[in-house]
Amino acid sequence: MTSEIKAAIEQNDFQRVKVLVEAIVEQHTNTFNFDTYHADNTFKQLWESMFLCLAADGYKCIHKQCLTCIRLLSRDKTHLKEIIIEQHVNILLQCANLVEETLCIVITSENTDVIVEGLKCLCNIVYNCDTAQEVCCSNNTVDCIVLRLRTYFEQNIPYVIKYFDIKLLFLLTAFNKDIRLKITEELHGLTYLTEVLDNILRDTIEDASKNNSSSLQEDNVLLSCEILKTLFNLTVIPISESSEEDDYSIWIRLISILRDLLVTSTFVPLFQDNIICNVVNLLTNVPPLCLDQLLVKSHWCDVDALKVIVNFLDTRLCSTENPLYENISPALMVLLKGSRSIAKFRCEVRQQILPPLKDVINRPEQGNTLRNKLCRLLTTPNVSLRDLVAELLFVLCKENVGRMIKYTGFGNAAGLFANRGLLCKTSNPDYSSDSEDSDTEEYLTYKDQINPVLGCYEPPKPNPFECMSVEQQEHEVMQLVSKMDKLTREGVIQPCKIGDDGRPKPIEHVLQLQEELMNHFTNIKNKDGPDDDSD
C-alpha cells in the first residue's frame, strides 16, 4: 500500500492518496506496535510520504488524514529516534500554528481539525523522542503556546485545542528543566495558567447560580488537571528569585483557586479523585506558611477544603491493604507541612485524625478510623511511607513522646523514637500549650490499665514470678539470655541497649546483658536486706 501512496503522490492524485491513507488509519486505529511495517521498511517509507504531503501546499485538503496517520505511527517508538528529523518537527509545529506568534491565535473552523491533529502528533513525538523535545525547547514553541493560552477566553478557542496545548506544555516542562525558567520568568506562564484556572472556576460558579448545579463539566475537569500538572512542573523550582513579595502574592492567588477547586470537586464524584489528586500534588510545592489559605472558607460554598484532603487520604487508604507510597504520600506531605508551620492548621488536622481518644479497648492499629489506618502503616515494610506517617502523627502529637504512645502505642512508634533518639526522653516542648489535649472519660477510666506498648487496655494477668524466689527468677532470666545468645550467634536478632543519646546501640556480646541483669538482681537483694537471725 505504501508504494501505491507513493505513486499517487507522484501523480498528484489527491483523492487516491486520501482513500489509501484513510484505509490505513481505519485499519490501525487501535494499533500501538507496527512490527510488521518495520520488517520491510514500510514504516519509514509511509512516515516520509506523509511528511512529503504535509510539506506541499497543494495537499492541504488531505493534511488532516496525513496527520492522523502520523499520530498513529508515532505511538510506536521503536525506531522513531532514527527517522525523525528537525524538519519533521517544524512541519508539525506549522500544522499546529505554533511557529509564528502573529499566526498562533488565528484559528478558524477550517483549520481547527488540522491544528488539533498537529498537536496530538507533537504530544506523541515529544513524549517518545529526545530530538522533538530539543527542537520544541529551542524555538518559539512555548512562546506561541503561552501567547495562545492568554487569549483562550477572549477568542473563544475550542476546548480540544486548549487541552492539547496544555498537554504539550506539560510534556515540555516535564522533560526540560531550562524551559521551566523561561516560562515562569520570561513569559509569566504561571500567571496566565492561573488565570485560565480562575476563568474555569468563574464559569462553573456562574453556571451553578443559573442552573442550581455546582459541578464542573467533564471538559473543564480534564483541562484543569492538565493545567495543574503543568503548574506542578513549573513550581518544583522556586517561582521567582527576584521578588519575594510577588512570589507570595502569586501563591496566595493560586492557593485560593486550588481551595475552590477542592470544594468544587465534591460535587463531581466521577472526577473527584482526579481533581483532588492533582491539586494535592501541586500543594506539595507550596511554601508551608501559604497553606493557611486552605483554612479560609470558600465564598460560595461551606465545604471545608482541608477536610476534603483528609477524606481523600482516608479514601486512598481504604482502596488497598498495602497502599503505594506515591498514592498517599502527597496528601501526607501537605498535612505534615501545614501542621508543622501553622498551629491552627495542625489543630484542624488533629481533630480529624487524632480526635480525643475514646476507644481504649482495641489496639491503635485495629479498626476503620483514619487513626487506625495510619497506625497500621507504622509497621509497614515500606520504610519511606512508614517514616512519613510517623512524622505526621508525631507532629500532630506536638512531638510529645507520651502523647504519641497514648495514640499509637509504644510498639508502633518505637521505630520513630529510635531514629530520633527519643527512647530515653519524654517530650520535645517546642509547641504551644497543651490546652487541646483533653482526656476522655473512657481514657481516664482505663488509664492505669492501659499497656503502653500495645496502646490499649489490657486485663490484669497473674504475675508468673509471684511464687518464685529471687534465685528462681534469676534462673529463668538466664535461660532467656541463653536463648537470645543462640539467636544472636545464628544472626536472627541483634540485641541492643539504649545509649546515652536515646538510640539503640548494638551490644558486642549477650554477656553484656547478663552482667546488667546480674547487677539488677544484686540490687534487689541488697534492697531487701540480709535475713535477720537475731531472734
Side-chain angles (χ1 to χ4, degrees), residues 174 200 407 511 519:
I200 291 173
Y407 281 99
L511 287 176
N519 292 334

Side-chain angles (χ1 to χ4, degrees), residues 205 256 259-260 263-264 295-303 305:
I205 296 169
S256 66
R259 180 192 64 227
D260 286 346
V263 169
T264 307
L295 302 174
V296 179
K297 291 289 184 183
S298 173
H299 66 280
W300 65 278
C301 182
D302 205 27
V303 176

Side-chain angles (χ1 to χ4, degrees), residues 91-119:
I91 289 172
L92 293 176
L93 290 169
Q94 185 79 45
C95 293
N97 267 24
L98 293 176
V99 176
E100 297 179 34
E101 293 184 26
T102 53
L103 296 176
C104 67
I105 58 174
V106 179
I107 298 173
T108 63
S109 56
E110 290 79 20
N111 69 358
T112 296
D113 288 344
V114 171
I115 291 174
V116 170
E117 284 300 321
L119 286 168

Side-chain angles (χ1 to χ4, degrees), residues 314-509:
D314 197 4
T315 303
R316 283 287 174 98
L317 289 171
C318 287
S319 61
T320 174
E321 289 185 8
N322 299 304
L324 296 174
Y325 176 79
E326 54 268 26
N327 284 348
I328 67 170
S329 60
L332 291 170
M333 288 175 183
V334 171
L335 297 177
L336 176 58
K337 272 207 311 185
S339 297
R340 268 188 178 147
S341 307
I342 307 164
K344 188 178 178 183
F345 191 104
R346 182 181 66 251
C347 183
E348 293 286 335
V349 176
R350 183 175 182 271
Q351 287 300 316
Q352 296 179 53
I353 294 180
L354 298 179
L357 189 59
K358 291 186 176 182
D359 182 8
V360 294
I361 303 299
N362 297 306
R363 293 189 181 190
E365 66 271 19
Q366 293 176 336
N368 294 316
T369 68
L370 188 49
R371 175 180 77 103
N372 301 144
K373 294 168 188 172
L374 291 174
C375 284
R376 285 198 283 273
L377 293 178
L378 292 175
T379 53
T380 180
N382 188 324
V383 177
S384 299
L385 181 56
R386 180 198 69 197
D387 291 348
L388 185 55
V389 170
E391 283 293 321
L392 173 60
L393 293 175
F394 197 43
V395 167
L396 294 181
C397 291
K398 295 186 175 181
E399 300 192 25
N400 182 292
V401 172
R403 192 174 300 151
M404 182 75 167
I405 292 172
K406 170 182 171 181
Y407 281 99
T408 69
F410 182 84
N412 289 325
L416 171 75
F417 297 154
N419 290 338
R420 279 176 162 250
L422 297 172
L423 289 173
C424 62
K425 299 179 183 179
T426 56
S427 65
N428 184 4
D430 291 334
Y431 289 84
S432 55
S433 69
D434 293 339
S435 57
E436 67 183 61
D437 184 38
S438 56
D439 291 336
T440 62
E441 287 184 27
E442 293 85 348
Y443 179 77
L444 292 173
T445 301
Y446 294 98
K447 185 175 181 180
D448 294 334
Q449 295 171 288
I450 289 177
N451 184 330
V453 175
L454 300 179
C456 66
Y457 165 77
E458 187 176 43
K461 296 179 181 178
N463 184 357
F465 293 111
E466 191 173 358
C467 300
M468 292 185 187
S469 65
V470 173
E471 287 77 12
Q472 288 174 315
Q473 293 178 30
E474 184 178 341
H475 172 75
E476 291 297 328
V477 170
M478 297 315 300
Q479 289 286 99
L480 177 61
V481 170
S482 176
K483 291 176 181 177
M484 288 178 62
D485 182 44
K486 181 181 178 184
L487 291 173
T488 303
R489 283 187 278 104
E490 292 175 354
V492 177
I493 63 171
Q494 173 64 69
C496 299
K497 63 179 182 179
I498 307 303
D500 296 334
D501 60 355
R503 289 183 169 87
K505 301 288 184 185
I507 61 173
E508 296 179 2
H509 195 276

Side-chain angles (χ1 to χ4, degrees), residues 241-257:
E241 296 178 0
S242 57
S243 172
E244 291 185 6
E245 222 173 285
D246 291 344
D247 199 34
Y248 184 77
S249 63
I250 291 173
W251 274 120
I252 293 301
R253 186 187 177 201
L254 178 57
I255 297 174
S256 66
I257 294 172

Side-chain angles (χ1 to χ4, degrees), residues 62-105:
I62 60 168
H63 276 188
K64 181 190 173 185
Q65 288 77 10
C66 294
L67 287 166
T68 304
C69 184
I70 290 171
R71 172 169 59 84
L72 298 180
L73 294 173
S74 64
R75 293 171 174 175
D76 185 345
K77 59 181 179 181
T78 310
H79 300 289
L80 201 58
K81 293 180 182 180
E82 300 169 13
I83 63 172
I84 195 166
I85 56 175
E86 184 175 349
Q87 183 186 359
H88 294 156
V89 180
N90 289 331
I91 289 172
L92 293 176
L93 290 169
Q94 185 79 45
C95 293
N97 267 24
L98 293 176
V99 176
E100 297 179 34
E101 293 184 26
T102 53
L103 296 176
C104 67
I105 58 174

